[in-house]
Amino acid sequence: MKLIINHSSMQPIYEQISGQIKNQIMHGELEEGKILPSVRALAKELRISALTVKKSYDALEQEGFINTVHGKGSFVSSANQEQLLEEKRREVEAELESAIRKGRSCGMNNQEITDLFYIILEES
């Protein structure tokens, strides 16, 4: 499992870790049932605190992406297609919001943004 930590990022390290793992799960790079590195092993590999990795794993477990079995490790949970689809929808929504903000920042009004959206939608 390849993770890249940006120490100069404004995003907390635990969010970088959980976000990258979640992304790998959603894109099928980490398959159902795959065991994740232990908290200590990943902390050592990334040269960060074990508490940071634990916080990432806890967040992923709360969201249903992994299951932790004490004494055995953390595993990619069974693919909950509905949950994965909802996560992808949120990503699309965030990207659309970003595009709208960019359009408005360069002076586009709602009608121009809507027209452009439909042009792109028809072309794809």
Side-chain angles (χ1 to χ4, degrees):
M1 180 171 63
K2 184 176 181 178
L3 300 175
I4 300 170
I5 302 302
N6 181 353
H7 293 282
S8 61
S9 171
M10 296 299 291
Q11 184 181 32
I13 293 173
Y14 83 93
E15 287 181 2
Q16 292 180 45
I17 294 168
S18 59
Q20 289 179 51
I21 292 173
K22 187 188 313 181
N23 192 41
Q24 290 179 23
I25 292 170
M26 289 174 47
H27 289 95
E29 297 167 31
L30 288 174
E31 298 172 355
E32 176 183 340
K34 178 151 176 68
I35 188 166
L36 299 179
S38 72
V39 169
R40 288 184 190 168
L42 188 56
K44 184 176 179 180
E45 178 184 329
L46 297 174
R47 296 183 179 155
I48 59 172
S49 167
L51 293 174
T52 303
V53 175
K54 173 87 169 91
K55 191 171 183 178
S56 298
Y57 280 17
D58 287 347
L60 288 165
E61 188 162 22
Q62 269 189 329
E63 293 181 50
F65 284 94
I66 67 171
N67 293 317
T68 301
V69 179
H70 294 288
K72 298 208 180 224
S74 297
F75 302 85
V76 175
S77 66
S78 58
N80 181 341
Q81 292 299 332
E82 196 171 308
Q83 185 176 8
L84 294 176
L85 284 173
E86 181 60 30
E87 186 68 27
K88 288 180 181 182
R89 286 185 184 113
R90 280 188 287 233
E91 285 180 13
V92 170
E93 184 177 331
E95 289 178 20
L96 286 172
E97 287 175 353
S98 176
I100 290 168
R101 280 193 301 276
K102 285 180 185 177
R104 286 190 177 141
S105 74
C106 69
M108 294 176 74
N109 63 36
N110 287 350
Q111 189 59 52
E112 290 171 320
I113 292 170
T114 302
D115 291 344
L116 182 58
F117 175 80
Y118 283 114
I119 288 169
I120 294 170
L121 191 61
E122 289 174 5
E123 291 177 355
S124 51

